[in-house]
Amino acid sequence: MTQLIPILTIDGPSGSGKGSISKCISEKLGWHYLDSGSLYRALGIAAIKNNIDINNEAALVELIGRVNIEFKRTEKGHWGVLLNGEEVRSQLATEEVGQLASKIAVFEKVRQGLLAKQQAYQAMPGLVADGRDMGSVVFPNAAYKVYLTASADERGKRRYKQLIEKGINANLRDVVQDIEQRDERDKNRAMSPLVVPNDAVYIDSSDKAIDEVVQQVLNLLKNK
Ligand code: DC
């Protein structure tokens, strides 16, 4: 009999804290980690590097077939992202690349092309999957689902802080505006929009520290 792989999905908008929280929980549990946003971001970068029009769905799908995107844990415990063997992590963090990812993510065939790649991450002892459609589309049968959000203002401040810490030039007002624009696109696209899955636990992290949310999610796993 095949053993059921435990999966925790954490969906939510940009700046909700899902990246930090998913990473932290995967480390605490010793589970695998899927950062699906980085897959879309790396594909966007690959399109630019290959001079592919980001509005050309067929060309993007063809590109998925020939690029190799891998996540590798570095010696310092950080996650590296390799695009055809080249380290691109530092190129992924900007809001421009976030917008690029959000634009190519509207295409049905692009999402389908990335579906099996994402599902291939499920492995024992478990998986933490972070994104927009993890609980609704990619892992609908996941045992544990969380929808994490925060006010647009708070999310903007967090993203701004992250960008500045990474040495990326940013302006708070522009960051909040970009986030709102991206939310709008991600929530209103026809294919796999960002939704709260029916069976997800809804957490608003506006007034919560990361540790507090991590504990809340770990309790959820313990008590289910
Ligand atoms: O999580 P992130 O900010 O790195 O994601 C970047 C963009 O990629 C996001 O605005 C929309 C898209 N995305 C998606 O459509 N589905 C996912 N599961 C993850 C990201």
Side-chain angles (χ1 to χ4, degrees):
M1 214 176 80
T2 51
Q3 218 180 339
L4 213 57
I5 298 166
I7 300 178
L8 163 66
T9 60
I10 304 191
D11 288 303
S14 175
S16 56
K18 65 192 164 49
S20 317
I21 285 156
S22 302
K23 264 179 236 153
C24 182
I25 292 177
S26 74
E27 275 160 25
K28 280 188 190 284
L29 297 174
W31 287 11
H32 300 275
Y33 169 53
L34 166 62
D35 172 4
S36 61
S38 283
L39 273 185
Y40 285 92
R41 285 174 185 254
L43 182 64
I45 296 255
I48 301 295
K49 284 186 191 289
N50 286 273
N51 289 320
I52 286 171
D53 175 3
I54 61 153
N55 297 305
N56 185 340
E57 183 172 10
L60 289 168
V61 172
E62 188 269 333
L63 180 64
I64 293 175
R66 62 189 166 89
V67 292
N68 187 26
I69 302 166
E70 290 170 281
F71 297 99
K72 281 251 160 72
R73 214 180 210 132
T74 64
E75 280 166 17
K76 287 183 182 157
H78 298 306
W79 284 96
V81 182
L82 301 180
L83 175 62
N84 290 336
E86 181 200 348
E87 174 55 78
V88 291
R89 169 100 261 172
S90 61
Q91 299 170 42
L92 300 189
T94 65
E95 191 46 40
E96 286 78 32
V97 176
Q99 290 282 358
L100 179 63
S102 170
K103 284 178 188 161
I104 62 171
V106 301
F107 293 121
E108 176 176 5
K109 294 198 176 87
V110 168
R111 304 199 72 84
Q112 278 168 0
L114 291 178
L115 187 64
K117 286 186 195 287
Q118 295 173 87
Q119 289 171 336
Y121 279 84
Q122 50 190 320
M124 287 306 242
L127 173 70
V128 181
D130 145 6
R132 301 290 186 294
D133 60 344
M134 298 293 102
S136 54
V137 176
V138 181
F139 302 109
N141 299 322
Y144 315 100
K145 296 184 187 181
V146 168
Y147 184 88
L148 190 62
T149 190
S151 67
D153 239 29
E154 178 59 29
R155 292 188 288 116
K157 280 185 203 149
R158 290 178 189 168
R159 278 293 293 156
Y160 173 76
K161 194 164 163 261
Q162 270 173 0
L163 292 170
I164 297 296
E165 277 169 6
K166 285 184 176 150
I168 298 170
N169 211 353
N171 166 296
L172 178 59
R173 231 185 35 205
D174 291 347
V175 173
V176 173
Q177 229 172 45
D178 279 341
I179 278 196
E180 286 174 341
Q181 211 181 66
R182 201 137 65 85
D183 283 358
E184 181 73 16
R185 192 184 303 110
D186 295 347
K187 286 181 179 167
N188 294 311
R189 67 183 174 221
M191 283 303 299
S192 320
L194 170 64
V195 290
V196 184
N198 286 338
D199 40 357
V201 173
Y202 187 97
I203 301 177
D204 186 330
S205 70
S206 302
D207 301 316
K208 289 186 173 139
I210 289 183
D211 290 354
E212 215 179 318
V213 180
V214 166
Q215 201 48 55
Q216 191 176 349
V217 177
L218 288 174
N219 290 343
L220 181 96
L221 265 66
K222 228 187 289 166
N223 298 331
K224 190 163 170 179

